Amino acid sequence: MNALRPSYQKPTVIGFSVAIRVLIFAGCIILGIALGYFIPLIAKWALTLPWVPFEGPLKLITSFSGVWVTVVTSLLGLLAGLWFAEEVIKDTLRVVVSGETIRLEKDGVVQDLSLADISLVFLDGKQLVILGNAGEELARETYEWASERIAGALTEHGYPWSPSGDPYQEQFRRWVLDTPDLPLAVNALLKAREIALQKKEKGEAKELRREVSKLGFVVKDEETRQYWRAQTTGE
């Protein structure tokens, strides 16, 4: 089937378009400037309340006067708006599907996965999951877009898509400390990963998932609860 796919077929991009990115930046900048402009007035009003947190910084803001105060706070608001827009875009998954690879872009990290190495792709709730030929998870990322978009893009480019979700769903078991069916090394990694999940250290949790995968096991989460299964053997 892949051989029949036209070589000139353009990649399909799922994510913020250029126009949407411009709107996000423009909106965040405008809101940031507006908030910065009104910060002195907001601080003055807040100090009239019976109790307000950060009273010290608010008094400091109201102690200054002059046009330059508004200019400075507006500039700070602009910078905050730029930072927030960049974080929103960076934290949202962008998927580029071509006839040869699936590219995942998120948090400044780019991952390219070859069609030959992919056995199945599906959505597990709000997560996009890509399985390898041995049943291992090559990728698991939060997916914010409509399911029809990714399903259509993958099938159009010849990727194996599972509309019914994870075929190994029934094999997952909840992890508890020192699970006897798991090697000591895997239990140790999952214990460390539980701590990372509780501290909301996403990068550390993702890295520990990779380490668990190297030892032949798949792990997924529901909040701070972890569920595991053994990888299958590729045909």
Side-chain angles (χ1 to χ4, degrees):
M1 180 173 63
N2 295 338
L4 299 177
R5 187 172 54 250
S7 59
Y8 57 81
Q9 190 173 18
K10 293 182 178 180
T12 301
V13 179
I14 301 173
F16 290 129
S17 65
V18 174
I20 295 298
R21 288 173 181 241
V22 170
L23 286 175
I24 290 173
F25 271 103
C28 289
I29 288 172
I30 292 171
L31 288 175
I33 292 174
L35 180 61
Y37 180 85
F38 288 108
I39 277 180
L41 293 176
I42 294 172
K44 186 176 181 180
W45 168 80
L47 289 174
T48 64
L49 300 175
W51 179 87
V52 64
F54 309 111
E55 184 175 349
L58 292 175
K59 286 183 177 180
L60 179 62
I61 292 173
T62 57
S63 67
F64 298 106
S65 61
V67 177
W68 69 271
V69 177
T70 303
V71 172
V72 170
T73 55
S74 297
L75 180 59
L76 291 175
L78 182 151
L79 294 175
L82 281 172
W83 172 82
F84 184 75
E86 181 66 26
E87 288 300 307
V88 168
I89 292 174
K90 187 173 69 173
D91 192 50
T92 303
L93 180 66
R94 184 172 185 262
V95 185
V96 182
V97 184
S98 70
E100 293 76 32
T101 62
I102 298 176
R103 169 168 289 191
L104 305 177
E105 302 174 6
K106 186 176 181 180
D107 295 328
V109 177
V110 177
Q111 183 180 12
D112 287 314
L113 301 171
S114 172
L115 171 60
D117 297 328
I118 296 172
S119 66
L120 198 64
V121 188
F122 56 89
L123 287 176
D124 183 7
K126 292 186 177 181
Q127 292 186 318
L128 178 67
V129 183
I130 303 176
L131 298 184
N133 294 319
E136 77 278 22
E137 286 189 0
L138 301 177
R140 177 182 283 269
E141 296 287 353
T142 300
Y143 178 80
E144 306 287 351
W145 314 101
S147 59
E148 294 81 5
R149 293 184 65 184
I150 189 66
L154 291 170
T155 53
E156 179 183 359
H157 288 279
Y159 289 84
W161 169 258
S162 172
S164 58
D166 190 351
Y168 303 111
Q169 177 63 34
E170 298 302 319
Q171 296 183 20
F172 279 97
R173 299 162 59 186
R174 184 172 178 179
W175 176 78
V176 294
L177 185 62
D178 297 329
T179 296
D181 295 333
L182 290 173
L184 291 176
V186 175
N187 270 311
L189 287 169
L190 291 176
K191 175 59 179 177
R193 194 167 181 276
E194 180 182 54
I195 295 172
L197 290 172
Q198 291 171 347
K199 293 182 177 180
K200 301 185 184 301
E201 297 175 347
K202 295 181 180 180
E204 179 70 6
K206 183 178 289 188
E207 179 60 32
L208 289 168
R209 172 185 278 132
R210 294 193 191 100
E211 294 300 316
V212 171
S213 179
K214 291 177 183 178
L215 296 178
F217 293 88
V218 175
V219 60
K220 68 174 184 176
D221 319 316
E222 290 182 9
E223 297 180 349
T224 59
R225 299 186 297 274
Q226 300 183 91
Y227 295 82
W228 66 272
R229 69 168 174 84
Q231 293 177 8
T232 61
T233 302
E235 296 180 358

